[in-house]
Amino acid sequence: MNTIFNHEPIQYGEVVSLPFTGNGYLGLSLSSQSQIQLLTDIRSPFTSSGYSPVVRISSDTWEDSSATIVQMKEGVVRRIQCFKFSKERSAHVTHVLYAHRKRPSLIVQDIDIINPSEHTLDLALKPSNRILNNDLKQLDQHDVQFDQTKDSYIMTTNQIPVRQHSFIIYVILTNKIISTTNVKPGSLEKQTILTVVKFSSVLLENSLLNKT
C-alpha cells in the first residue's frame, strides 16, 4: 500500500498513520505538535529539535474540515482543507510537505489557496515554530535577507543535549510568512515555505572545554 488517506478527525475503519516525511537526514510530520527530527547517526533514534516550520491555516468566518494523504513511495504528505462559507459556497487549501531527497537539508511546504466562491476568503497563517523542548538552548537568532527584492528569512542557532555530557548544535533557516491573507473571489494564491537545517556531529562537553 503506497497511499494512506485519513480524515481529521479519524473516521471509523481508517488506517491511522502519522503524516510524516523524511529523507534519512531529517524528518517532519504535518501536524500541529510536529517538530523537526534530526538523524545524527543511522544507528541512533531521531533527536527532536523542538522547532517546527509547519504553517497552520485557519479562519474565523469560514468553517473548515480536512483530510491528509500520505504517499509513502514519493515521501510526500498532502493535506486538503475545505473552507465552507455556506452549503453552496466553499474554497480549499492544499498543503504539500516533503523532505527533499536530493538536497537532504531542505524541507519544503507548498500551500495553494483556491477561492472559486463569490466571497473573500479571510485566512490566518500561523507558523508552529515554537520551542517544544525545555533542554534546548538558543544560541542566536537574527533576520537574513539575501536580496532586497526577495523574501526575508529567520536564522536560528540552537544547542540540544543528545546524551549525558554530549550535545549537538544545529542551525535552521526558514523564510518569514505573512500572518493574514485575503483571497479575493475567483482567485488563487500560492506560498512556499523553505526550511534549511544543518547540524553538527555529536560534541562532548569535556572536549569543548579543553579546546577553550
Side-chain angles (χ1 to χ4, degrees):
M1 183 170 57
N2 177 47
T3 303
I4 298 176
F5 184 93
N6 286 152
H7 290 88
E8 296 181 15
I10 298 295
Q11 295 185 1
Y12 177 79
E14 291 184 349
V15 177
V16 180
S17 175
L18 181 69
F20 184 86
T21 177
N23 58 14
Y25 182 76
L26 48 83
L28 181 67
S29 66
L30 188 59
S31 61
S32 59
Q33 298 300 317
S34 171
Q35 51 185 297
I36 295 175
Q37 304 292 317
L38 313 175
L39 189 61
T40 58
D41 190 306
I42 59 173
R43 296 165 296 182
S44 303
F46 278 115
T47 298
S48 297
S49 68
Y51 179 94
S52 174
V54 170
V55 173
R56 295 174 291 119
I57 297 180
S58 61
S59 174
D60 291 333
T61 55
W62 293 59
E63 180 183 353
D64 76 295
S65 58
S66 62
T68 302
I69 303 168
V70 181
Q71 296 175 283
M72 293 180 287
K73 186 179 294 184
E74 294 80 6
V76 173
V77 178
R78 301 178 187 272
R79 171 175 292 150
I80 301 173
Q81 278 184 283
C82 179
F83 288 88
K84 185 179 293 185
F85 186 82
S86 64
K87 291 183 178 180
E88 296 80 20
R89 298 289 183 266
S90 63
H92 68 271
V93 178
T94 302
H95 307 250
V96 178
L97 178 72
Y98 60 94
H100 208 286
R101 291 182 173 178
K102 293 185 178 180
R103 298 177 179 176
S105 59
L106 177 62
I107 295 173
V108 181
Q109 183 183 3
D110 288 321
I111 299 175
D112 291 305
I113 306 170
I114 301 176
N115 181 17
S117 75
E118 299 172 355
H119 303 273
T120 298
L121 177 61
D122 302 316
L123 297 175
L125 287 74
K126 300 177 182 178
S128 306
N129 49 13
R130 58 192 180 280
I131 300 300
L132 301 172
N133 191 323
N134 293 330
D135 295 326
L136 186 144
K137 179 181 179 181
Q138 187 176 99
L139 304 178
D140 182 54
Q141 184 178 80
H142 60 273
D143 294 345
V144 177
Q145 193 166 21
F146 299 103
D147 190 314
Q148 294 297 325
T149 62
K150 300 294 183 180
D151 295 337
S152 296
Y153 294 80
I154 300 175
M155 179 180 288
T156 306
T157 304
N158 294 323
Q159 175 181 315
I160 190 168
V162 290
R163 292 188 295 271
Q164 188 175 12
H165 304 304
S166 62
F167 61 92
I168 61 172
I169 294 174
Y170 67 91
V171 178
I172 294 179
L173 180 73
T174 189
N175 51 311
K176 291 183 175 181
I177 63 166
I178 58 174
S179 59
T180 59
T181 185
N182 308 106
V183 185
K184 295 181 179 180
S187 63
L188 58 87
E189 184 175 310
K190 181 179 178 65
Q191 293 201 35
T192 298
I193 295 91
L194 302 176
T195 303
V196 177
V197 184
K198 290 287 188 179
F199 54 88
S200 69
S201 57
V202 176
L203 304 172
L204 299 176
E205 292 180 358
N206 291 338
S207 63
L208 190 63
L209 290 173
N210 292 335
K211 290 181 180 179
T212 57

